[in-house]
Amino acid sequence: MISRTMARPLVERLQENSLLADSLGGAARSVRPSDYYDRSETLETKDILRRAFMHWIIEQELAPGMYIDERKVAARLRIPLLSVREFLISMSQFGYFRKVRDREWVVEDLDRTFFSQMLDVRMMFELNSIAPLIELPEQDPFWRTLYSLRNQHLDLLETKGGETLPFVELDNAFHGLLNTASNNRVMQIFQDAVFFVFYFHYRWDNSDERARNEIAMREHLNIMDAIFDKDVESSRSSLRGHLQAAQDNLLSSIENRIKR
């Protein structure tokens, strides 16, 4: 069973492509390769929400004190209202959003202590994920995904450089892979909360943004190369330096924001 909210765009797509002969669902023709949705259009609901909120924060559509209406988000993203509510509830546990009335939330302002604590947790879990990753067998999908991410980093550096949105999506994919592939279920719970810290960071401080993003991508490449070499110590050392630099930049941007 799926909701009408999810079913409606699917039926519309089938009708637009002349796949449905009538409203009862009769097939009009055989399916062609061009009829399939692009992978970017078949993300899990949670991924759709995470990506949407990332864009809204970075593009300054969301800021502390602003209100969020569950119904408007669900309609805008064409996903079930319940999925939006569950996502906001999960993020409210970390203090990002607060429910003010039925189906309406406010974006909260967070302090430096909270961010510092979240980043300490991230450092601990990601460093501990390295050894299990390196021990994965060669046929594990992790290695193909890591190789693909490496190529995406190189492509971005050669084309758009440190442009924020493409970089942040790659950053999320890379750090998310470190946690999911190592089957670190505890860190996966915190993953969205940690990423939100950095979304707000990009909204607050975009000075030297492209240069910092390009440095971060090259740091990612160093980490990936060490993992491919199955060098645990080098991987951890590169990752530790990368996470510390990211943490320092974030906390510095928070301090600058407070002084304004």
Side-chain angles (χ1 to χ4, degrees):
M1 294 286 291
I2 64 173
S3 69
R4 283 176 295 179
T5 305
M6 293 188 69
R8 189 177 299 113
L10 293 173
V11 172
E12 290 174 355
R13 175 69 172 255
L14 292 173
Q15 291 173 333
E16 289 171 3
N17 290 0
S18 302
L19 281 163
L20 284 183
D22 51 52
S23 60
L24 297 178
R29 61 173 175 80
S30 299
V31 177
R32 297 191 291 260
S34 59
D35 294 320
Y36 288 96
Y37 281 90
D38 185 82
R39 182 174 178 79
S40 64
E41 299 178 89
T42 58
L43 296 170
E44 291 186 10
T45 303
K46 189 174 182 181
D47 291 328
I48 294 172
L49 282 162
R50 182 192 298 123
R51 180 173 292 183
F53 274 87
M54 175 192 74
H55 281 249
W56 295 339
I57 291 169
I58 293 174
E59 294 173 349
Q60 302 191 20
E61 291 187 47
L62 281 182
M66 295 180 68
Y67 288 85
I68 301 171
D69 188 309
E70 294 176 2
R71 291 161 295 194
K72 291 181 180 178
V73 173
R76 183 172 178 176
L77 301 179
R78 304 176 81 176
I79 59 177
L81 179 63
L82 180 59
S83 297
V84 176
R85 182 175 302 133
E86 289 177 344
F87 182 79
L88 290 169
I89 289 173
S90 68
M91 291 296 96
S92 70
Q93 298 177 57
F94 299 99
Y96 288 108
F97 308 110
R98 174 172 52 86
K99 194 168 187 178
V100 290
R101 57 182 68 89
D102 186 40
R103 296 180 181 175
E104 194 169 79
W105 301 72
V106 66
V107 182
E108 291 281 71
D109 201 0
L110 301 170
D111 61 25
R112 187 183 191 281
T113 301
F114 172 82
F115 285 133
S116 182
Q117 291 169 347
M118 288 299 297
L119 295 173
D120 286 343
V121 169
R122 181 194 198 191
M123 177 84 75
M124 176 180 66
F125 279 114
E126 289 199 20
L127 287 175
N128 287 336
S129 73
I130 292 296
L133 290 175
I134 287 177
E135 293 173 0
L136 289 173
E138 294 295 334
Q139 65 272 23
D140 192 278
F142 163 75
W143 297 107
R144 291 195 301 274
T145 305
L146 189 67
Y147 185 76
S148 174
L149 277 175
R150 187 181 187 280
N151 285 336
Q152 290 175 56
H153 277 70
L154 292 172
D155 288 344
L156 185 57
L157 281 169
E158 292 176 3
T159 55
K160 298 181 180 179
E163 189 173 313
T164 297
L165 283 173
F167 164 72
V168 175
E169 290 187 352
L170 266 188
D171 189 61
N172 287 350
F174 173 65
H175 288 283
L177 178 65
L178 296 185
N179 295 314
T180 55
S182 62
N183 200 29
N184 192 330
R185 288 180 287 180
V186 177
M187 185 55 197
Q188 290 168 31
I189 295 172
F190 289 93
Q191 189 165 292
D192 285 337
V194 170
F195 288 158
F196 261 69
V197 171
F198 286 89
Y199 299 161
F200 281 107
H201 159 56
Y202 279 98
R203 189 186 189 283
W204 291 334
D205 182 10
N206 57 10
S207 59
D208 300 323
E209 181 180 296
R210 293 181 67 93
R212 285 187 283 112
N213 292 347
E214 289 175 8
I215 290 172
M217 281 191 282
R218 291 190 174 90
E219 291 172 349
H220 286 178
L221 288 168
N222 290 336
I223 297 164
M224 286 187 270
D225 287 344
I227 291 175
F228 279 122
D229 290 340
K230 299 193 175 183
D231 186 331
V232 175
E233 290 308 312
S234 179
S235 300
R236 282 179 174 162
S237 176
S238 297
L239 179 59
R240 184 181 291 107
H242 169 67
L243 292 175
Q244 188 62 59
Q247 183 165 332
D248 291 344
N249 286 333
L250 175 58
L251 296 179
S252 175
S253 74
I254 294 172
E255 291 295 335
N256 293 336
R257 173 176 173 266
I258 292 172
K259 292 175 182 177
R260 290 173 187 170

